[in-house]
Amino acid sequence: MAETIAVIDYGSGNLTSAAKALERAARDAGREVSVIITGDADTVATADRLVLPGQGAFGDCRRGLLAVPGLLEALTEAVRVHAKPFFGICVGMQLMVARGIEHGNHAGLGWIPGTCQRLTPTDPALKIPHMGWNTLRLTAPAHPVLAGLGGEEHVYFVHSYHLTDIAASDVLAETDYAGPVVAIIGRDTMVGTQFHAEKSQAAGLRLLRNFLTWRP
Amino acid sequence: MLKIRLIPCLDVKEGRVVKGVNFVDLVDAGDPVEQARFYDAAGADELTFLDITASSDNRATILDVVSRTAAECFMPLTVGGGVRAVEDIRRLLLAGADKVSINTAAIHRPEFVQEAAEKFGSQCIVVAVDAKQVSPGRWEIFTHGGRNPTGLEAVAWAQRMAAYGAGELLLTSMDRDGTKSGFDLALTRAVSDAVPVPVIASGGVGTLDHLVDGVRQGHAAAVLAASIFHFGTFTIGQAKAHMAAAGIPMRPVVEAV
């Protein structure tokens, strides 16, 4: 039976881009999947895999999640109790940590210990947002979701905030923007990318395809 | 290391490409989706559609183009032209655009940029800055293809737009646009050095050295060109190789998805 992939709609993010990329990745993998853009708690609860996109501010995204009745509970139960595979993209990844410091302090989902805070490159000539194609340095190349990724893959970043205080064991890849920046995190059945996997051409599709076939 | 972006731009009118690559292997050279696929495979770092549809009745045609492009091209897509309200932005993002470019509407009501950035996040709000030199070292913002002056000084305007939440600025020299004589480097540098956000240099590219100059002398984070690619003067691969040979960090052209 075709798996259901829920792309969670809480009023943020380029949902269509993410859904189309997942559909393409599934075709590449020879999998029949049903990709649904949804904000409905019941649909999220019954989905086989969950994707949380996100754009904008940490606090706004968090509020957006809370504003949909039952959504946060359904998501948390699916991922943390039923251990369904989860993929967070950009702010969707940032929300996985305990705390966000952006226009004040905000509680995150708290699934992975860490903090989300503003990028402050040591070189003032570096622009914020960190926007464009940057290279990945895999720190856990054996992780199944990274299968087939080479040494210096380029992926597309757009962000002004980044994750800090992440345990080394939860970091799967880093990039460099006047210092190391966490690019991919993973723990248990969860992964998250700071960059836009859905906009990263071949490397991004490969990651999504690996996620769709992942049996953690 | 973060790479400098090379961005081809396509003019789209009522769902058809007005100016675009004219290669025999395209089944329908007037189809923006075909052109997008071509640039995607050629290794462009992003793609920009400029919707020049005059009548608002036909605006919806761009949504179909964006939706079909997003189904096939997994690279960042910016759409500009006719973005006047929050609802226009929402429709474009839902169709599959990643960023929208705001132009005249920002001049009429600068707070629109603030509202858009708050609603959708700075990362998807590009503000198009069309500037023209009025005296040595001074540029002002013009609308309607450079015909209408606004009296706004370009550098201060760019700073204001960045402060209002624009995630990047698309800076076009109206003096150079279409001339193939190179970017207005003094303008590009003045704006790039004055704002914290990335600046895309646009207007005037005729040679590959112009692209290099835009980054080296203009301090641009990205370079946009139309004619040199559309008319087949140079390929994306040639442009990237030339820029890389000049020492600019570029993403190598990867194999098609």
Side-chain angles (χ1 to χ4, degrees):
Chain A
M1 203 178 110
E3 279 197 350
T4 302
I5 318 297
V7 177
I8 296 164
D9 178 6
Y10 56 105
S12 174
N14 50 346
L15 303 166
T16 311
S17 286
K20 303 250 192 200
L22 284 160
E23 282 167 1
R24 167 63 184 268
R27 275 205 304 282
D28 290 348
R31 297 240 156 184
E32 252 189 65
V33 300
S34 164
V35 178
I36 304 171
I37 295 175
T38 181
D40 176 62
D42 291 339
T43 310
V44 167
T46 55
D48 298 296
R49 292 171 197 267
L50 302 121
V51 177
L52 185 68
Q55 289 189 334
F58 189 99
D60 287 346
C61 286
R62 162 84 187 181
R63 271 192 295 282
L65 263 183
L66 285 171
V68 187
L71 180 57
L72 185 59
E73 293 76 9
L75 178 64
T76 304
E77 185 168 315
V79 178
R80 303 309 284 151
V81 179
H82 300 298
K84 296 201 176 150
F86 171 90
F87 197 129
I89 301 173
C90 201
V91 181
M93 171 247 217
Q94 294 176 351
L95 285 169
M96 293 162 74
V97 302
R99 192 166 69 112
I101 306 171
E102 180 172 355
H103 311 300
N105 258 301
H106 306 277
L109 298 171
W111 296 347
I112 287 183
T115 307
C116 175
Q117 54 186 314
R118 192 159 174 87
L119 271 170
T120 46
T122 42
D123 178 355
L126 288 181
K127 300 293 190 180
I128 302 289
H130 169 217
M131 183 184 289
W133 296 85
N134 207 335
T135 38
L136 288 179
R137 183 172 59 252
L138 306 184
T139 51
H143 194 285
V145 172
L146 305 186
L149 290 188
E152 287 261 294
E153 300 281 358
H154 282 85
V155 290
Y156 189 84
F157 289 86
V158 191
H159 62 120
S160 302
Y161 289 76
H162 71 134
L163 295 185
T164 58
D165 312 315
I166 304 288
S169 54
D170 292 333
V171 177
L172 305 186
E174 292 178 334
T175 189
D176 192 83
Y177 199 55
V181 171
V182 174
I184 311 180
I185 55 173
R187 178 187 270 210
D188 307 330
T189 64
M190 306 172 287
V191 289
T193 61
Q194 179 61 72
F195 53 89
H196 286 273
E198 77 284 11
K199 287 285 142 188
S200 294
Q201 293 184 331
L205 289 175
R206 180 71 205 211
L207 275 168
L208 293 175
R209 176 180 163 178
N210 290 342
F211 170 72
L212 291 176
T213 55
W214 186 29
R215 300 258 167 241
Chain B
M1 183 184 215
L2 185 67
K3 304 303 187 289
I4 296 292
R5 290 168 285 151
L6 177 62
I7 308 173
C9 175
L10 289 166
D11 287 357
V12 179
K13 188 176 183 184
E14 292 172 2
R16 302 287 293 171
V17 176
V18 177
K19 218 167 52 168
V21 270
N22 193 9
F23 290 112
V24 280
D25 49 347
L26 293 186
V27 178
D28 177 1
D31 181 4
V33 184
E34 282 249 9
Q35 301 260 346
R37 208 187 292 135
F38 175 87
Y39 281 123
D40 189 22
D45 295 316
E46 291 186 22
L47 186 65
T48 294
F49 283 147
L50 181 62
D51 184 19
I52 55 169
T53 304
S55 157
S56 54
D57 296 348
N58 296 324
R59 278 282 152 64
T61 55
I62 193 70
L63 296 176
D64 174 58
V65 166
V66 169
S67 158
R68 288 190 295 126
T69 303
E72 298 193 42
C73 297
F74 303 100
M75 66 195 297
L77 175 65
T78 302
V79 183
V83 177
R84 293 192 172 83
V86 160
E87 199 45 45
D88 296 329
I89 301 175
R90 187 194 309 279
R91 273 197 289 266
L92 285 166
L93 294 179
L94 283 176
D98 299 289
K99 309 185 215 179
V100 297
S101 174
I102 302 173
N103 194 343
T104 322
I107 293 160
H108 290 164
R109 204 170 64 82
E111 295 72 26
F112 173 49
V113 172
Q114 236 165 359
E115 291 159 18
E118 268 164 31
K119 188 115 202 138
F120 304 103
S122 292
Q123 83 293 327
C124 64
I125 304 300
V126 182
V127 171
V129 175
D130 292 352
K132 210 163 150 174
Q133 188 166 4
V134 290
S135 60
R138 183 180 168 92
W139 298 267
E140 288 183 5
I141 305 299
F142 281 70
T143 63
H144 299 85
R147 288 194 305 276
N148 298 0
T150 65
L152 295 162
E153 194 274 318
V155 175
W157 173 251
Q159 287 175 319
R160 184 173 175 199
M161 289 296 96
Y164 277 18
E168 85 186 319
L169 302 175
L170 169 55
L171 175 66
T172 304
S173 160
M174 302 313 288
D175 298 308
R176 298 300 179 90
D177 205 25
T179 65
K180 295 193 165 70
S181 58
F183 296 120
D184 182 336
L185 296 172
L187 166 69
T188 308
R189 187 170 186 146
V191 172
S192 293
D193 289 353
V195 296
V197 300
V199 170
I200 307 168
S202 154
V205 175
T207 71
L208 299 185
D209 280 332
H210 290 157
L211 299 171
V212 173
D213 295 343
V215 177
R216 273 289 162 71
Q217 298 177 45
H219 296 175
V223 283
L224 180 139
S227 325
I228 60 162
F229 300 127
H230 302 332
F231 300 121
T233 320
F234 300 106
T235 65
I236 296 283
Q238 285 169 334
K240 284 194 157 188
H242 187 86
M243 293 173 78
I248 295 173
M250 301 299 294
R251 182 177 70 118
V253 171
V254 286
E255 277 179 41
V257 175

